[in-house]
Amino acid sequence: MSPLCFSMESDFIAWLRDRLPPHPQLRLGPGDDAAILRLSDRAECVVTVDLLTDGVDFDLAAIDVLRAGRKALAVNLSDLAAMAAKPVAAVIALALPRQGGQQLAVELYEGLIPLAERYTTAIAGGDTNSWDGPLVISVTAIGEVTARGPLLRSGANPGDRIIVTGNFGGSILGKHFDFDPRVEEALLLNERYALHAGIDCSDGLSLDLSRIAAESGCGAAIDLARLPVSASAHKLAAAKVARRSAADSASRSDALQSALGDGEDFELILAVPRDDAQRMISEQPLAPLPLTDIGQFVAEPGLWQTTADGRRQPLPIRGYEHEFD
Ligand SMILES: [Mg+2]
Protein backbone atom coordinates (compact mmCIF):
# COMPACT_ATOMS: atom_id res chain seq x y z
CA MET A 1 0.00 0.00 0.00
CA SER A 2 1.41 3.41 -0.96
CA PRO A 3 1.95 6.11 1.64
CA LEU A 4 -0.91 8.58 1.85
CA CYS A 5 -1.34 12.28 2.31
CA PHE A 6 -3.75 11.43 5.06
CA SER A 7 -1.03 10.05 7.36
CA MET A 8 -2.66 6.61 7.06
CA GLU A 9 -5.14 5.19 4.58
CA SER A 10 -7.19 4.00 7.53
CA ASP A 11 -7.59 7.67 8.60
CA PHE A 12 -8.99 8.50 5.21
CA ILE A 13 -11.35 5.52 5.26
CA ALA A 14 -12.52 6.49 8.74
CA TRP A 15 -13.24 10.01 7.46
CA LEU A 16 -15.03 8.51 4.46
CA ARG A 17 -17.20 6.13 6.51
CA ASP A 18 -18.24 9.06 8.60
CA ARG A 19 -18.92 11.27 5.59
CA LEU A 20 -20.78 8.85 3.32
CA PRO A 21 -24.57 8.71 3.50
CA PRO A 22 -26.20 5.29 4.14
CA HIS A 23 -27.77 3.37 1.27
CA PRO A 24 -30.41 0.63 1.51
CA GLN A 25 -28.55 -1.72 -0.87
CA LEU A 26 -25.15 -1.35 0.74
CA ARG A 27 -24.71 -4.11 3.31
CA LEU A 28 -20.99 -3.51 3.77
CA GLY A 29 -19.24 -0.38 2.50
CA PRO A 30 -15.68 0.97 2.76
CA GLY A 31 -13.36 -0.68 5.25
CA ASP A 32 -13.34 -4.37 4.35
CA ASP A 33 -11.68 -6.15 1.38
CA ALA A 34 -14.80 -5.79 -0.73
CA ALA A 35 -18.22 -4.25 -0.60
CA ILE A 36 -21.35 -6.37 -0.26
CA LEU A 37 -24.33 -5.25 -2.30
CA ARG A 38 -27.83 -6.63 -2.00
CA LEU A 39 -29.22 -7.64 -5.39
CA SER A 40 -32.48 -9.47 -5.91
CA ASP A 41 -32.37 -13.06 -7.23
CA ARG A 42 -32.64 -12.47 -10.95
CA ALA A 43 -31.26 -8.93 -11.07
CA GLU A 44 -28.52 -8.27 -13.61
CA CYS A 45 -25.62 -6.09 -12.61
CA VAL A 46 -23.89 -3.58 -14.93
CA VAL A 47 -20.34 -2.39 -14.23
CA THR A 48 -18.48 0.45 -15.95
CA VAL A 49 -15.22 2.27 -15.29
CA ASP A 50 -13.64 5.55 -16.41
CA LEU A 51 -10.23 7.05 -15.78
CA LEU A 52 -9.73 10.82 -15.65
CA THR A 53 -6.30 12.44 -15.43
CA ASP A 54 -5.34 16.01 -14.58
CA GLY A 55 -3.84 17.56 -17.68
CA VAL A 56 -5.71 15.18 -20.00
CA ASP A 57 -9.39 15.13 -19.07
CA PHE A 58 -9.41 18.29 -16.98
CA ASP A 59 -6.94 20.96 -15.92
CA LEU A 60 -6.75 21.77 -12.22
CA ALA A 61 -4.95 25.00 -13.10
CA ALA A 62 -8.21 26.15 -14.70
CA ILE A 63 -11.03 24.34 -12.85
CA ASP A 64 -12.06 23.47 -9.34
CA VAL A 65 -11.40 19.88 -8.24
CA LEU A 66 -15.04 19.69 -7.05
CA ARG A 67 -16.13 19.82 -10.69
CA ALA A 68 -13.57 17.19 -11.68
CA GLY A 69 -14.88 14.91 -8.92
CA ARG A 70 -18.47 15.42 -9.99
CA LYS A 71 -17.58 14.73 -13.60
CA ALA A 72 -15.69 11.53 -12.76
CA LEU A 73 -18.90 10.05 -11.38
CA ALA A 74 -21.21 11.71 -13.91
CA VAL A 75 -19.47 10.12 -16.91
CA ASN A 76 -19.98 6.70 -15.35
CA LEU A 77 -23.64 7.37 -14.59
CA SER A 78 -24.00 8.44 -18.20
CA ASP A 79 -22.62 5.05 -19.28
CA LEU A 80 -25.14 3.31 -17.00
CA ALA A 81 -27.85 5.45 -18.61
CA ALA A 82 -26.65 4.31 -22.03
CA MET A 83 -27.31 0.73 -20.88
CA ALA A 84 -30.70 1.76 -19.42
CA ALA A 85 -29.38 0.50 -16.08
CA LYS A 86 -30.31 1.90 -12.71
CA PRO A 87 -27.25 3.12 -10.77
CA VAL A 88 -26.60 1.18 -7.56
CA ALA A 89 -23.04 1.91 -6.45
CA ALA A 90 -19.63 3.26 -7.41
CA VAL A 91 -16.08 2.58 -6.21
CA ILE A 92 -13.44 5.25 -6.56
CA ALA A 93 -9.67 4.88 -7.05
CA LEU A 94 -7.47 7.95 -6.64
CA ALA A 95 -3.80 8.57 -7.37
CA LEU A 96 -3.14 11.77 -5.42
CA PRO A 97 -0.18 14.09 -5.96
CA ARG A 98 1.91 14.05 -2.77
CA GLN A 99 1.74 17.82 -2.46
CA GLY A 100 -1.76 18.94 -1.43
CA GLY A 101 -3.24 15.48 -1.97
CA GLN A 102 -5.32 15.44 1.20
CA GLN A 103 -7.14 18.66 0.36
CA LEU A 104 -7.72 17.48 -3.22
CA ALA A 105 -9.20 14.18 -1.99
CA VAL A 106 -11.63 15.86 0.38
CA GLU A 107 -12.79 18.44 -2.18
CA LEU A 108 -13.09 15.83 -4.90
CA TYR A 109 -15.44 13.80 -2.71
CA GLU A 110 -17.37 16.94 -1.77
CA GLY A 111 -17.99 17.48 -5.51
CA LEU A 112 -18.99 13.89 -6.10
CA ILE A 113 -21.15 13.01 -3.08
CA PRO A 114 -24.12 15.31 -3.92
CA LEU A 115 -24.35 13.74 -7.39
CA ALA A 116 -24.18 10.25 -5.87
CA GLU A 117 -27.00 11.15 -3.51
CA ARG A 118 -29.12 12.66 -6.27
CA TYR A 119 -28.86 9.44 -8.29
CA THR A 120 -29.11 7.20 -5.18
CA THR A 121 -25.68 5.77 -5.91
CA ALA A 122 -23.82 4.33 -2.89
CA ILE A 123 -20.13 5.13 -2.70
CA ALA A 124 -19.18 1.59 -1.73
CA GLY A 125 -15.40 1.87 -1.47
CA GLY A 126 -12.21 2.41 -3.43
CA ASP A 127 -8.46 2.78 -3.16
CA THR A 128 -6.38 5.87 -2.44
CA ASN A 129 -2.69 6.08 -3.32
CA SER A 130 -0.21 8.92 -3.64
CA TRP A 131 2.55 9.45 -6.19
CA ASP A 132 4.73 12.06 -7.87
CA GLY A 133 2.36 12.46 -10.82
CA PRO A 134 -0.84 14.48 -11.31
CA LEU A 135 -4.28 13.66 -9.89
CA VAL A 136 -5.80 10.53 -11.45
CA ILE A 137 -9.40 9.56 -10.73
CA SER A 138 -10.88 6.20 -11.61
CA VAL A 139 -14.54 5.56 -10.95
CA THR A 140 -16.22 2.18 -11.34
CA ALA A 141 -20.00 2.24 -11.33
CA ILE A 142 -22.37 -0.66 -10.86
CA GLY A 143 -25.90 -0.65 -12.17
CA GLU A 144 -28.92 -2.89 -12.09
CA VAL A 145 -30.77 -3.86 -15.22
CA THR A 146 -34.53 -3.39 -15.08
CA ALA A 147 -37.14 -5.95 -16.12
CA ARG A 148 -37.06 -4.35 -19.61
CA GLY A 149 -33.47 -5.54 -20.04
CA PRO A 150 -30.28 -3.65 -20.89
CA LEU A 151 -29.86 -1.40 -23.89
CA LEU A 152 -26.98 -2.44 -26.15
CA ARG A 153 -25.24 -0.75 -29.06
CA SER A 154 -25.87 -3.71 -31.30
CA GLY A 155 -29.65 -3.79 -31.76
CA ALA A 156 -30.34 -1.14 -34.42
CA ASN A 157 -32.16 -2.24 -37.60
CA PRO A 158 -32.31 -0.45 -40.95
CA GLY A 159 -35.45 1.68 -40.87
CA ASP A 160 -35.15 2.47 -37.14
CA ARG A 161 -35.25 6.18 -36.42
CA ILE A 162 -32.32 7.96 -34.75
CA ILE A 163 -33.69 9.73 -31.68
CA VAL A 164 -31.56 12.01 -29.50
CA THR A 165 -32.14 13.77 -26.19
CA GLY A 166 -31.22 17.43 -25.72
CA ASN A 167 -28.88 19.55 -27.81
CA PHE A 168 -25.40 19.06 -29.21
CA GLY A 169 -22.15 20.98 -29.58
CA GLY A 170 -20.15 23.56 -27.66
CA SER A 171 -19.94 21.51 -24.43
CA ILE A 172 -16.52 23.08 -23.80
CA LEU A 173 -18.39 26.21 -22.64
CA GLY A 174 -19.47 24.34 -19.49
CA LYS A 175 -21.75 21.39 -20.17
CA HIS A 176 -18.81 18.96 -20.36
CA PHE A 177 -18.44 19.40 -16.58
CA ASP A 178 -21.89 20.29 -15.38
CA PHE A 179 -24.10 17.98 -17.46
CA ASP A 180 -26.83 15.86 -15.93
CA PRO A 181 -26.40 12.19 -16.85
CA ARG A 182 -29.61 11.02 -18.57
CA VAL A 183 -30.30 8.23 -16.10
CA GLU A 184 -34.00 8.82 -15.31
CA GLU A 185 -34.59 9.69 -18.95
CA ALA A 186 -33.11 6.40 -20.18
CA LEU A 187 -35.09 4.38 -17.65
CA LEU A 188 -38.34 6.14 -18.54
CA LEU A 189 -37.85 5.75 -22.29
CA ASN A 190 -36.85 2.08 -21.93
CA GLU A 191 -39.95 1.48 -19.83
CA ARG A 192 -42.45 3.18 -22.15
CA TYR A 193 -41.10 2.55 -25.64
CA ALA A 194 -39.36 -0.15 -27.67
CA LEU A 195 -35.68 0.82 -27.85
CA HIS A 196 -33.45 -1.23 -30.14
CA ALA A 197 -30.04 0.30 -29.29
CA GLY A 198 -28.47 3.18 -27.41
CA ILE A 199 -25.26 4.99 -26.52
CA ASP A 200 -24.35 8.12 -24.60
CA CYS A 201 -22.64 10.82 -26.64
CA SER A 202 -19.23 11.24 -25.05
CA ASP A 203 -16.88 11.44 -28.03
CA GLY A 204 -18.97 13.25 -30.66
CA LEU A 205 -22.43 12.71 -32.15
CA SER A 206 -21.14 11.49 -35.51
CA LEU A 207 -18.55 9.15 -33.94
CA ASP A 208 -20.87 7.69 -31.31
CA LEU A 209 -23.71 7.25 -33.82
CA SER A 210 -21.30 5.47 -36.15
CA ARG A 211 -20.44 3.13 -33.24
CA ILE A 212 -24.07 2.04 -32.87
CA ALA A 213 -24.29 1.55 -36.63
CA ALA A 214 -21.07 -0.48 -36.76
CA GLU A 215 -22.08 -2.69 -33.80
CA SER A 216 -25.48 -3.24 -35.41
CA GLY A 217 -24.03 -4.10 -38.83
CA CYS A 218 -25.79 -1.24 -40.59
CA GLY A 219 -25.33 2.46 -41.41
CA ALA A 220 -26.89 5.70 -40.24
CA ALA A 221 -28.16 8.69 -42.22
CA ILE A 222 -28.55 12.06 -40.50
CA ASP A 223 -30.82 14.81 -41.78
CA LEU A 224 -28.55 17.73 -40.86
CA ALA A 225 -31.41 20.24 -40.99
CA ARG A 226 -33.03 18.47 -38.02
CA LEU A 227 -29.95 18.42 -35.80
CA PRO A 228 -30.67 20.05 -32.41
CA VAL A 229 -27.70 22.44 -32.30
CA SER A 230 -27.06 23.91 -28.84
CA ALA A 231 -26.91 27.62 -28.03
CA SER A 232 -23.28 27.03 -26.99
CA ALA A 233 -22.42 25.65 -30.43
CA HIS A 234 -23.92 28.79 -32.01
CA LYS A 235 -22.04 30.97 -29.55
CA LEU A 236 -18.71 29.29 -30.38
CA ALA A 237 -19.44 29.57 -34.09
CA ALA A 238 -20.33 33.25 -33.79
CA ALA A 239 -17.06 33.90 -31.96
CA LYS A 240 -15.16 32.12 -34.74
CA VAL A 241 -16.96 34.13 -37.40
CA ALA A 242 -16.25 37.37 -35.56
CA ARG A 243 -12.56 36.45 -35.46
CA ARG A 244 -12.29 35.86 -39.17
CA SER A 245 -15.11 38.29 -40.13
CA ALA A 246 -16.60 35.80 -42.60
CA ALA A 247 -20.18 35.51 -43.88
CA ASP A 248 -23.15 34.49 -41.68
CA SER A 249 -23.61 31.20 -43.51
CA ALA A 250 -20.27 30.05 -42.13
CA SER A 251 -21.71 30.36 -38.63
CA ARG A 252 -24.47 27.81 -39.32
CA SER A 253 -21.94 25.41 -40.79
CA ASP A 254 -19.48 25.87 -37.89
CA ALA A 255 -22.26 25.28 -35.36
CA LEU A 256 -23.30 22.11 -37.21
CA GLN A 257 -19.73 20.81 -37.23
CA SER A 258 -19.54 21.54 -33.54
CA ALA A 259 -22.77 19.60 -32.90
CA LEU A 260 -21.48 16.65 -34.95
CA GLY A 261 -18.01 16.41 -33.53
CA ASP A 262 -17.40 18.28 -30.26
CA GLY A 263 -18.38 15.45 -27.92
CA GLU A 264 -19.02 15.41 -24.17
CA ASP A 265 -22.68 16.32 -24.69
CA PHE A 266 -23.58 13.22 -22.65
CA GLU A 267 -26.95 13.03 -24.37
CA LEU A 268 -28.54 9.73 -25.43
CA ILE A 269 -28.52 8.53 -29.03
CA LEU A 270 -31.17 5.84 -29.55
CA ALA A 271 -32.34 3.48 -32.27
CA VAL A 272 -36.13 3.36 -32.10
CA PRO A 273 -38.56 1.46 -34.36
CA ARG A 274 -40.61 3.83 -36.50
CA ASP A 275 -43.97 3.59 -34.68
CA ASP A 276 -42.47 4.05 -31.24
CA ALA A 277 -40.31 6.90 -32.53
CA GLN A 278 -43.37 8.70 -33.85
CA ARG A 279 -45.17 8.24 -30.55
CA MET A 280 -42.09 9.39 -28.63
CA ILE A 281 -41.73 12.55 -30.71
CA SER A 282 -45.41 13.50 -30.39
CA GLU A 283 -45.62 12.69 -26.67
CA GLN A 284 -42.27 14.36 -25.74
CA PRO A 285 -42.23 12.51 -22.39
CA LEU A 286 -39.03 14.24 -21.21
CA ALA A 287 -40.26 17.82 -21.71
CA PRO A 288 -38.78 20.37 -21.29
CA LEU A 289 -35.84 18.24 -22.44
CA PRO A 290 -36.44 17.77 -26.17
CA LEU A 291 -36.43 14.45 -28.02
CA THR A 292 -35.52 14.91 -31.67
CA ASP A 293 -35.69 12.57 -34.66
CA ILE A 294 -32.51 13.28 -36.64
CA GLY A 295 -32.63 10.56 -39.27
CA GLN A 296 -32.64 6.81 -39.69
CA PHE A 297 -30.53 3.70 -39.69
CA VAL A 298 -29.94 2.34 -43.18
CA ALA A 299 -28.73 -0.93 -44.67
CA GLU A 300 -25.57 0.54 -46.24
CA PRO A 301 -22.76 0.63 -43.66
CA GLY A 302 -21.17 3.97 -42.82
CA LEU A 303 -22.34 7.42 -41.85
CA TRP A 304 -24.45 9.46 -44.26
CA GLN A 305 -26.16 12.78 -44.53
CA THR A 306 -29.52 13.12 -46.21
CA THR A 307 -29.70 16.25 -48.35
CA ALA A 308 -32.78 18.47 -48.80
CA ASP A 309 -33.73 16.61 -52.02
CA GLY A 310 -33.58 13.25 -50.23
CA ARG A 311 -30.27 12.04 -51.65
CA ARG A 312 -27.60 10.44 -49.47
CA GLN A 313 -23.97 11.57 -49.26
CA PRO A 314 -21.15 10.24 -47.08
CA LEU A 315 -20.72 12.25 -43.87
CA PRO A 316 -17.20 12.42 -42.41
CA ILE A 317 -17.00 11.00 -38.91
CA ARG A 318 -15.73 13.56 -36.41
CA GLY A 319 -15.09 13.12 -32.72
CA TYR A 320 -12.57 12.44 -29.99
CA GLU A 321 -10.52 9.29 -29.57
CA HIS A 322 -7.61 8.75 -27.19
CA GLU A 323 -4.41 8.20 -29.14
CA PHE A 324 -1.32 6.26 -28.11
CA ASP A 325 1.37 4.07 -29.60
MG1 LIG B 1 -20.42 5.65 -23.17
Side-chain angles (χ1 to χ4, degrees):
M1 200 62 60
S2 304
L4 281 162
C5 294
F6 273 92
S7 55
M8 304 270 281
E9 187 177 27
S10 56
D11 294 342
F12 182 61
I13 293 169
W15 174 82
L16 205 51
R17 292 175 85 157
D18 190 46
R19 178 64 187 85
L20 294 176
H23 187 281
Q25 284 176 285
L26 184 65
R27 187 169 151 203
L28 186 66
D32 208 297
D33 290 302
I36 301 174
L37 296 167
R38 292 192 189 97
L39 296 177
S40 61
D41 282 352
R42 283 169 303 164
E44 282 182 284
C45 184
V46 170
V47 181
T48 178
V49 65
D50 253 295
L51 186 72
L52 279 76
T53 304
D54 182 17
V56 180
D57 303 283
F58 56 87
D59 181 6
L60 286 185
I63 64 118
D64 205 314
V65 68
L66 274 96
R67 293 175 86 197
R70 183 191 185 278
K71 180 174 180 173
L73 177 61
V75 295
N76 281 278
L77 295 179
S78 184
D79 278 329
L80 293 184
M83 305 296 293
K86 180 178 163 288
V88 175
V91 290
I92 294 150
L94 300 179
L96 297 169
R98 279 184 226 283
Q99 286 283 316
Q102 175 173 333
Q103 189 61 24
L104 277 182
V106 169
E107 287 182 18
L108 188 150
Y109 268 91
E110 294 298 352
L112 182 152
I113 288 170
L115 190 74
E117 285 193 279
R118 182 178 153 200
Y119 289 91
T120 48
T121 305
I123 304 301
D127 191 21
T128 309
N129 293 353
S130 62
W131 71 323
D132 292 324
L135 174 66
V136 181
I137 314 168
S138 174
V139 177
T140 301
I142 297 148
E144 189 180 348
V145 172
T146 70
R148 296 280 286 178
L151 189 58
L152 309 181
R153 294 182 181 184
S154 57
N157 294 323
D160 285 350
R161 302 304 304 181
I162 305 164
I163 305 287
V164 296
T165 60
N167 301 307
F168 290 78
S171 68
I172 193 75
L173 294 185
K175 189 185 181 187
H176 68 132
F177 275 110
D178 304 322
F179 67 95
D180 293 321
R182 301 304 188 194
V183 171
E184 292 111 340
E185 292 83 353
L187 292 171
L188 183 147
L189 294 177
N190 196 38
E191 178 66 36
R192 283 200 208 165
Y193 306 92
L195 308 181
H196 282 170
I199 194 170
D200 66 321
C201 180
S202 53
D203 298 332
L205 174 56
S206 62
L207 179 56
D208 288 320
L209 176 59
S210 75
R211 286 169 171 158
I212 297 189
E215 285 297 314
S216 300
C218 62
I222 304 181
D223 182 348
L224 293 184
R226 296 180 181 214
L227 217 61
V229 179
S230 73
S232 296
H234 285 297
K235 203 170 158 187
L236 277 183
K240 239 190 224 174
V241 168
R243 273 202 303 279
R244 62 170 190 247
S245 59
D248 258 354
S249 59
S251 170
R252 167 74 186 156
S253 142
D254 284 339
L256 259 183
Q257 291 311 315
S258 180
L260 285 167
D262 279 0
E264 302 217 302
D265 303 290
F266 298 104
E267 297 293 348
L268 299 169
I269 307 170
L270 303 166
V272 186
R274 188 172 294 269
D275 288 355
D276 282 71
Q278 266 172 11
R279 200 157 59 81
M280 206 184 259
I281 293 302
S282 68
E283 292 174 357
Q284 288 295 328
L286 305 181
L289 181 73
L291 281 166
T292 310
D293 180 329
I294 63 163
Q296 68 174 343
F297 289 90
V298 295
E300 302 90 323
L303 192 65
W304 308 85
Q305 58 175 307
T306 309
T307 55
D309 59 3
R311 282 182 305 126
R312 218 172 269 160
Q313 291 174 352
L315 182 67
I317 296 171
R318 298 183 59 245
Y320 181 79
E321 283 183 283
H322 284 285
E323 286 176 18
F324 44 84
D325 58 21

